[in-house]
Amino acid sequence: MFPKFKPAGDSAIAIIFGSEISEEINKKVHAVAETIEHTSPEWLVEVVPTYTSVYVYYDPIKISYSEIAEVLKPFLSAEPKKEEKRIVKIPVVYGGSFGPDIEFVAQYNNLTIDEVIEIHSKPLYRVYMLGFLPGFAYLGGMDDRIATPRLEKPRLKVPAGSVGIAGKQTGWYAIESPGGWRLIGRTPLKTFDPRKKPPSIVKAGDYVKFVPISEEEFQEIYKDEWGEER
Amino acid sequence: MIELVNVPSLITVQDLGRRKYQSFGVPVSGVMDEVSARLANYLVGNEDNTPLLEFVLKGPTIKFHSSTVFAVGGDVEVKLNGQPIKAWRSYWAKRGDILEIGTLKSGMYGYIAFAGGIACEPILGSCSTYLRAKFGKALSSEDKLKLGYAILTGKEGKQLPKEFVPKYEKENIVRVTLGPQEEHFTKRGIETFLTSEYTVTSESDRMGYRLEGPKIEHSDKGADIITDAIPLGSIQVPKNGKPIIMLADRQTTGGYAKIGVVTRVDIPRVAQTRPNEKIRFRTVSVEEAQDALRKREQMMKAVKLFLKGELRAYKLRVSEEEVIAFTKVEKKK
């Protein structure tokens, strides 16, 4: 069963540690990813940890697919280190033009909009991974009662800071981009800045709490963060 | 320094991409067609990863404010001070010279390389432009760009042998390795994918090419997966059954099932396909894909050394086919 290796094209191999989102599996993912990255073999291009898998990008000129699984096996025994719990608060305006899909999410789950907000802003979410776009954090721990499928056809443009739901996942768009998530709100924070170290407001292993705010508070924070009116 | 006088299309500075930041969600970016870009760089004596200009369909007009050696890569008419010159050949430009590049006759992306490359401040280790995060910018007219150190390693009059000039087709057969989520598709879905003709739509850009064609059927596992990584050339199939090929500016991770990944050797072929042109997919093993890549890289290395004057090219006849081979240049005593 797990972990198992799968080719992902001719220049990447996926190591898959499970088939569900769980804290335990994700901690293992990060432990293995860190160990491979730390060892930095000469054929290594980069390592991308996700919820349940580690993608190892390699140079096929230096190592072939048939060799790489063998070479990676010893890394699989890496054990997670103890994490310190850091909580990052993310202010969000829910609904309206900031979250145009919140009504759909409410209807789909037979809830009121207020119930959606309450359920979404209650938990402490774990940051399982960063990905998709610069500074985009994938959070775990969303309540199943507000789970909603992605759009059938992704939007061509989603504004920076948009908070959304996709299936059982939730998170925010750190920069403007196309995307298929159901948008329920927006944060005024600048969550990714390549000039800052680290460039992202959160890192894998952090915890996030969404804090509902008013539109006025949004405008105030937005101006501080971005140096301009929205 | 060079100045962009006329900018008719998206023109960006690119290198071979931004590495080691995908785990922060930062896309790789870089040139769409690495073969064309690297060959253009070789012609002016640069290394593979030297920053150069990439344009879409229509080339710019450029004024030289300092002397340098340059080369244009692409199926395109080029003029220097009004006189026709060749693509895939290096030329010397003096201060005040004007380079005019026309519209690509085939293919989607063209390249302009300068000896020493374009000078830039790397962001997270690369000069690749990534517009969505405002890493670099879309160049516009009157923009001036500094060139790299003027150690003019580039020599004028270097010409790419015609055997190596990339050809861009209107109908492409593209090799893919299946997976990593092939179990999210029915047997019929995979058969549809491998036997149908797909058309590149106008909703395509440096991030990915959306394809129109027969709908690919998902299995009962559905179109959505637990979000995982997206290697270059991944073919995602959202619920609508229409494939999207993920290219240079692709997001690092995503939640649609991937039916296959385009082989590295065939990425340039995909990138150079225009909207309304066609793509068909054919499956190969990972080993075959890696063999093809090794062969291509051997050839790229030989071409690079040939253009540096360290190898000599000659023609061989293998059965009915003429092929190019290389030998070392005998050094004069």
Side-chain angles (χ1 to χ4, degrees):
Chain A
M1 269 305 272
F2 298 111
K4 63 182 174 198
F5 294 109
K6 270 197 118 178
D10 54 32
S11 305
I13 181 170
I15 316 171
I16 301 156
F17 290 90
S19 55
E20 62 194 277
I21 296 175
S22 92
E23 209 160 318
E24 196 191 336
I25 292 170
N26 188 248
K27 281 179 175 166
K28 180 76 181 174
V29 160
H30 285 287
V32 171
E34 268 167 41
T35 313
I36 297 170
E37 202 157 14
H38 187 75
T39 313
S40 186
E42 51 116 29
W43 43 259
L44 183 69
V45 177
E46 65 186 305
V47 183
V48 180
T50 73
Y51 279 111
T52 60
S53 64
V54 175
Y55 271 61
V56 179
Y57 291 83
Y58 62 96
D59 182 354
I61 306 297
K62 292 181 180 147
I63 192 166
S64 68
Y65 179 72
S66 51
E67 293 164 313
I68 197 162
E70 249 351 271
V71 173
L72 284 173
K73 270 182 191 157
F75 292 104
L76 301 180
S77 57
E79 282 305 323
K81 287 180 218 134
K82 276 192 181 159
E83 292 175 16
E84 218 175 281
K85 211 168 183 171
R86 192 173 82 112
I87 299 168
V88 181
K89 287 181 181 163
I90 306 284
V92 183
V93 181
Y94 285 96
S97 61
F98 296 95
D101 300 329
I102 201 165
E103 245 180 283
F104 181 89
V105 173
Q107 273 171 18
Y108 185 86
N109 293 292
N110 289 318
L111 297 165
T112 65
I113 289 177
D114 284 346
E115 284 170 328
V116 172
I117 297 171
E118 201 200 312
I119 294 168
H120 187 259
S121 59
K122 201 175 174 194
L124 260 190
Y125 296 97
R126 182 171 193 272
V127 177
Y128 278 78
M129 58 183 273
L130 294 181
F132 179 49
L133 286 168
F136 188 96
Y138 287 86
L139 309 175
M142 197 185 76
D143 198 310
D144 275 0
R145 286 176 295 164
I146 52 173
T148 315
R150 285 180 177 79
L151 298 172
E152 283 192 19
K153 192 181 171 200
R155 279 189 176 91
L156 292 176
K157 212 174 186 180
V158 177
S162 294
V163 175
I165 288 173
K168 292 179 187 174
Q169 301 173 58
T170 186
W172 64 88
Y173 289 84
I175 61 167
E176 183 187 283
S177 76
W181 293 45
R182 307 277 178 181
L183 307 181
I184 60 165
R186 205 174 144 191
T187 177
L189 295 180
K190 195 176 202 171
T191 54
F192 180 84
D193 188 344
R195 289 162 303 180
K196 285 182 187 161
K197 270 186 185 173
S200 167
I201 196 169
V202 291
K203 60 178 197 313
D206 284 346
Y207 288 80
V208 164
K209 177 103 172 92
F210 291 111
V211 182
I213 57 165
S214 67
E215 221 175 305
E216 290 72 37
E217 287 173 279
F218 178 98
Q219 300 298 359
E220 231 169 83
I221 302 172
Y222 190 90
K223 210 176 155 187
D224 279 355
E225 283 280 306
W226 298 79
E228 56 185 291
E229 307 262 345
R230 190 188 72 92
Chain B
M1 194 163 65
I2 55 160
E3 181 186 346
L4 290 151
V5 180
N6 179 25
V7 177
S9 69
L10 176 67
I11 298 180
T12 55
V13 175
Q14 298 292 345
D15 56 23
L16 295 184
R18 192 166 277 111
R19 283 294 181 183
K20 304 265 183 213
Y21 290 96
Q22 285 195 82
S23 55
F24 295 94
V26 179
V28 176
S29 301
V31 294
M32 287 289 277
D33 172 358
E34 66 162 314
V35 169
S36 293
R38 287 161 70 193
L39 290 173
N41 262 329
Y42 295 167
L43 279 165
V44 297
N46 289 345
E47 287 307 310
D48 299 69
N49 196 28
T50 307
L52 79 175
L53 293 181
E54 178 182 276
F55 63 89
V56 188
L57 286 171
K58 286 181 182 175
T61 301
I62 289 171
K63 184 173 179 181
F64 291 88
H65 288 272
S66 52
S67 303
T68 188
V69 171
F70 71 91
V72 176
D75 180 11
V76 68
E77 277 173 16
V78 189
K79 284 179 184 170
L80 186 61
N81 298 325
Q83 296 300 309
I85 59 168
K86 287 179 176 166
W88 301 115
R89 185 185 171 101
S90 66
Y91 292 89
W92 172 255
K94 303 184 303 297
R95 187 189 165 93
D97 282 357
I98 303 278
L99 171 67
E100 289 168 89
I101 301 166
T103 300
L104 295 173
K105 282 173 265 179
S106 63
M108 189 69 187
Y109 289 91
Y111 295 91
I112 315 161
F114 304 91
I118 288 164
C120 90
E121 290 245 356
I123 295 172
L124 302 174
S126 162
C127 289
S128 284
T129 302
Y130 173 56
L131 295 175
R132 285 198 172 83
K134 300 192 171 68
F135 295 174
K137 61 170 203 158
L139 297 172
S140 51
S141 58
E142 292 180 25
D143 276 342
K144 288 179 178 149
L145 298 171
K146 283 185 183 160
L147 299 179
Y149 288 111
I151 307 164
L152 290 180
T153 46
K155 285 191 182 128
E156 60 180 319
K158 294 279 183 188
Q159 186 160 351
L160 190 65
K162 67 174 191 301
E163 290 81 359
F164 299 109
V165 169
K167 287 185 188 70
Y168 315 120
E169 309 289 344
K170 291 184 192 322
E171 289 176 19
N172 287 294
I173 294 171
V174 166
R175 287 164 287 182
V176 300
T177 55
L178 285 182
Q181 281 105 27
E182 69 268 36
E183 71 278 7
H184 280 252
F185 301 89
T186 60
K187 240 182 178 169
R188 207 173 87 185
I190 291 174
E191 204 183 296
T192 306
F193 169 66
L194 292 172
T195 56
S196 307
E197 186 174 74
Y198 287 91
T199 307
V200 175
T201 73
S202 54
E203 278 182 14
S204 297
D205 58 15
R206 287 182 40 88
M207 192 172 179
Y209 285 4
R210 288 169 189 250
L211 306 182
E212 190 50 65
K215 193 175 161 170
I216 296 166
E217 187 181 74
H218 289 94
S219 68
D220 52 7
K221 286 176 180 275
D224 291 359
I225 57 168
I226 296 175
T227 296
D228 90 338
I230 305 183
L232 176 64
S234 293
I235 303 163
Q236 290 188 320
V237 185
K239 202 177 167 188
N240 68 9
K242 310 289 181 179
I244 307 172
I245 309 179
M246 307 307 291
L247 295 168
D249 280 356
R250 71 197 175 279
Q251 63 267 37
T252 59
T253 60
Y256 294 123
K258 298 179 281 286
I259 195 169
V261 183
V262 174
T263 58
R264 275 261 299 280
V265 282
D266 283 349
I267 293 285
R269 197 193 295 276
V270 170
Q272 294 289 6
T273 311
R274 293 180 183 186
N276 292 322
E277 294 180 349
K278 315 282 182 201
I279 286 176
R280 282 176 173 276
F281 297 102
R282 185 165 77 77
T283 173
V284 291
S285 68
V286 176
E287 288 76 14
E288 286 173 292
Q290 294 187 337
D291 277 348
L293 184 66
R294 268 180 222 119
K295 280 186 188 123
R296 184 191 82 182
E297 287 307 303
Q298 274 172 13
M299 200 50 85
M300 290 296 279
K301 202 171 166 185
V303 173
K304 186 177 178 180
L305 291 172
F306 166 74
L307 291 170
K308 276 187 173 173
E310 291 172 30
L311 287 183
R312 192 170 61 83
Y314 61 93
K315 276 184 188 147
L316 270 181
R317 254 191 124 69
V318 179
S319 62
E320 292 304 300
E321 227 182 319
E322 271 202 341
V323 287
I324 265 226
F326 295 91
T327 60
K328 268 192 177 161
V329 169
E330 298 285 332
K331 286 208 175 113
K332 284 175 193 158
K333 280 175 192 167

